[in-house]
């Protein structure tokens, strides 16, 4: 029985990922979850009491996986500059991934304080890692620089998601260049 419940919970989370990556938070509704999974709407409520609860669990499950991928890419880099580059490249490489798309859709959305706190904590881990690399590069304000760098990454993510005129690889290269050389290019 417990195994069946965990399978259904997994199916609901997977449906939530799809809905979020297709239509953002507005698309994530209990009727849509019920329809995608073939469960009765009342059954969806047995697993999650609210949309925020679905989102919170997605963050708990997906964000660490995604952060770990970025972290692993950074650890493979030989230099501080390489770590910064890996930080930017890996996040942009994950854009097409449904887990990442769902997390991005979520972080832009209205969330309850608990879910926001979880996202902040996971983000904080990434920012701390990049902060260390920026420190090594001699930044006087590594935390501020890390926040600004994440802003560049977020802007590049949005640009790729929008299907902007530029090729995703061109957007990635521009973001890496900006991260490493500022506006001088």
């Amino acid at each position: 029985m417990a195994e069946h419940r965990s399978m259904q919970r997994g199916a609901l989370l997977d449906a939530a990922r799809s809905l979020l990556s297709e239509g953002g938070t507005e698309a994530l509704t209990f009727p849509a979850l019920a329809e995608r999974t073939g469960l009765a709407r009342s059954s969806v409520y047995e697993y999650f009491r609210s949309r925020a609860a679905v989102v919170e669990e997605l963050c708990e499950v997906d964000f660490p996986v995604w952060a770990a991928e970025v972290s692993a890419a950074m650890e493979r880099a030989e230099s501080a500059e390489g770590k910064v580059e890996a930080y930017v490249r890996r996040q942009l490489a994950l854009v097409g991934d449904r887990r990442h798309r769902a997390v991005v859709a979520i972080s832009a959305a209205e969330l309850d304080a608990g879910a926001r706190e979880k996202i902040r904590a996971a983000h904080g881990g990434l920012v701390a890692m990049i902060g260390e690399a920026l420190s090594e590069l001699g930044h006087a304000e590594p935390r501020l620089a890390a926040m600004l760098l994440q802003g560049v990454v977020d802007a590049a993510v949005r640009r790729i998601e929008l299907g902007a005129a530029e090729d995703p690889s061109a957007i990635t290269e521009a973001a890496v260049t900006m991260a490493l050389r500022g506006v001088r290019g």
Side-chain angles (χ1 to χ4, degrees):
M1 184 71 194
E3 194 172 310
H4 177 67
R5 279 191 70 79
S6 115
M7 269 175 58
Q8 286 197 323
R9 193 176 200 90
L12 283 165
L13 287 175
D14 211 45
R17 275 181 205 109
S18 293
L19 290 164
L20 282 165
S21 67
E22 288 159 23
T25 24
E26 300 77 63
L28 180 61
T29 63
F30 278 30
L33 282 172
E35 193 182 319
R36 287 278 166 110
T37 54
L39 292 170
R41 201 184 311 184
S42 57
S43 301
V44 178
Y45 283 100
E46 285 174 33
Y47 292 92
F48 298 104
R49 60 186 190 286
S50 65
R51 266 177 20 150
V54 178
V55 162
E56 203 165 322
E57 186 149 332
L58 264 185
C59 292
E60 266 175 67
V61 174
D62 290 356
F63 216 116
V65 171
W66 174 62
E69 285 199 37
V70 176
S71 172
M74 287 174 71
E75 280 162 23
R76 287 192 295 273
E78 305 287 314
S79 64
E81 201 165 275
K83 286 185 194 318
V84 172
E85 181 168 349
Y87 178 81
V88 175
R89 281 191 191 284
R90 195 67 204 121
Q91 287 192 66
L92 296 179
L94 289 168
V95 169
D97 184 294
R98 260 180 344 134
R99 286 172 184 257
H100 177 260
R101 300 247 304 268
V103 169
V104 169
I106 288 166
S107 47
E110 306 305 297
L111 288 178
D112 70 10
R116 261 202 306 275
E117 197 37 61
K118 288 194 175 80
I119 291 179
R120 250 202 303 279
H123 251 301
L126 279 177
V127 170
M129 286 183 329
I130 198 62
E132 275 171 45
L134 294 166
S135 251
E136 280 174 52
L137 287 172
H139 261 283
E141 301 248 15
R143 192 160 170 77
L144 174 60
M147 298 289 195
L148 296 174
L149 174 59
Q150 187 57 45
V152 168
V153 173
D154 293 342
V157 165
R158 276 193 302 277
R159 198 120 186 103
I160 292 170
E161 297 251 311
L162 288 170
E166 310 87 4
D167 194 73
S169 62
I171 296 170
T172 299
E173 292 315 313
V176 167
T177 299
M178 184 163 277
L180 297 177
R181 284 178 259 306
V183 291
R184 267 185 295 234

